[in-house]
Structure formats: C-alpha cells, structure tokens
Amino acid sequence: MTLPESRGDTYRISLVCLGNICRSPMAEAVLRARLDEAGLSGRVAVDSAGTGSWHVGEPADPRARAALRRRGYDGEAHRARQFGASWFDSHDLVLALDHANLATLMAMAPTPDAAHRVRLLRSFDESVTDRDDHAVPDPYYGTDADFDTGLDIIERAADGLVDALRWHLGADQAG
Ligand code: 4NP
C-alpha cells in the first residue's frame, strides 16, 4: 500500500480512536515495539489521540494495560489526548481504528492533502479482504477477551504497516 509522502526527516504517525484509552494506546505500544524490532524507531514517530475529549489526561484503561502486559508491551506511560485539526500539520499519516473515527477525521481534515493522509489502520493488514470488516471493534463495553482480540487485529495491521514503511523509507533512501 502506498503511503503519503513525509514532509520532514521523521515520518510522523498518529493512531486515532474514540477515547484514546483502549484501542489507540494499544496500537501505539504495538507499533512502537514493531518499529524498534525493524530498526525504524529513529525514523518514524508514533503517537495517539481520541476524537472525543472525555478521557483527556487519563492513563490507558486498566484492561488495555493488562492486555499489553500479557504480550510483553508497555502502555503505562500513556496519557489520553484529543485529536485536533492542527494535528494534520504535524503528522504525515493519521490512522483511524474504526469507521466512525475515520468519518470524524475526514470531516475535520482542512484540505484535500490532509484527507489523503487519513486511512484505516486495518487497511494495512494484508490478510483483510474487501469482504472483511476493516474496523478494530471498540472493546470498551466488552471483556478481557475482546481486548485480546483487538490486540490480535492490531498486531497484524502493525506488521503490514511496518512493511509498508520499510519499503517507503527504503525507497526514499534510494531516491
Ligand atoms: P477507545 O475506547 O476509543 O478504544 O479508547 C473507548 C473509550 C471510551 C469510550 C468509548 C470507547 N467512552 O464512551 O467513554
């Protein structure tokens, strides 16, 4: 999958869900770990936000932190933030966790270039077909198992995204 061009030396990615306490903090921790393993952590910066403001300043949900811990990731330092339109100036790629987040972000995008930078995280999962759901389901009212399922989905998408970044940044180096 082709990635939007970077506008600086560092490729900047924001992961966006509704509350920024469950899915996007998990995605941030997973993507950071995967980039580290790929030797790309110096070239790609990752953060996360929510479209809503309810949880701003709070740590990640205890169930998200526990799910991360079970797989060896660390989400303890997270504090929730709200996505704002100005974030489009400072990020190269804005990844929505579900379709509602995608619609909110598209409505906020101030320019066609900004809208072009908004994608679904799951669009990078190479095992997802057109017939599959492209959302990471909201686990907030769910069980611990729903958080684990969310992490399964996030890990597959993060692998595809890291492959796309490796290719994109390698192609940049060559050019
Ligand atoms: P998240 O989950 O979007 O994955 O962080 C939610 C967190 C909070 C709420 C909904 C979803 N909420 O309604 O407060």
Side-chain angles (χ1 to χ4, degrees), residues 5 14 39 64 72 91 99 121 158-159 162 171 173 175:
E5 287 306 312
S14 196
H91 290 81
H99 295 89
L121 171 64
D159 285 340
V162 170
Q173 261 172 355

Side-chain angles (χ1 to χ4, degrees), residues 8-169:
D9 291 340
T10 304
Y11 200 91
R12 299 190 180 278
I13 300 173
S14 196
L15 295 148
V16 183
C17 63
L18 180 60
N20 193 215
I21 55 168
C22 297
R23 292 165 292 172
S24 60
M26 292 200 298
E28 181 182 345
V30 170
L31 183 55
R32 249 203 211 116
R34 292 290 203 268
L35 288 167
D36 217 19
E37 286 162 19
L40 290 175
S41 52
R43 304 193 60 198
V44 183
V46 183
D47 62 22
S48 67
T51 57
S53 64
W54 310 283
H55 298 283
V56 167
E58 293 178 16
D61 186 286
R63 297 164 298 170
R65 281 152 51 201
L68 286 170
R69 267 197 308 275
R70 284 197 286 278
R71 294 191 192 186
Y73 303 108
D74 180 6
E76 297 303 314
H78 178 75
R79 294 296 177 271
R81 296 189 294 167
Q82 185 179 21
F83 191 90
S86 67
W87 288 46
F88 285 112
D89 294 333
S90 52
H91 290 81
D92 301 305
L93 181 63
V94 178
L95 293 175
L97 276 280
D98 71 21
H99 295 89
N101 312 144
L102 181 75
T104 305
L105 290 165
M106 290 300 247
M108 286 174 79
T111 63
D113 176 71
H116 171 69
R117 294 175 185 280
V118 181
R119 312 278 171 87
L120 280 164
L121 171 64
R122 224 179 158 180
S123 65
F124 290 92
D125 180 344
E126 278 141 26
S127 69
V128 169
T129 72
D130 287 351
R131 276 170 299 162
D132 292 322
D133 186 354
H134 283 56
V136 180
D138 185 349
Y140 188 62
Y141 295 104
T143 64
D144 286 343
D146 295 318
F147 279 80
D148 289 331
T149 302
L151 263 183
D152 291 338
I153 296 169
I154 286 166
E155 286 181 329
R156 286 196 299 272
D159 285 340
L161 176 56
V162 170
D163 282 346
L165 284 163
R166 200 184 274 121
W167 196 92
H168 184 82
L169 296 170

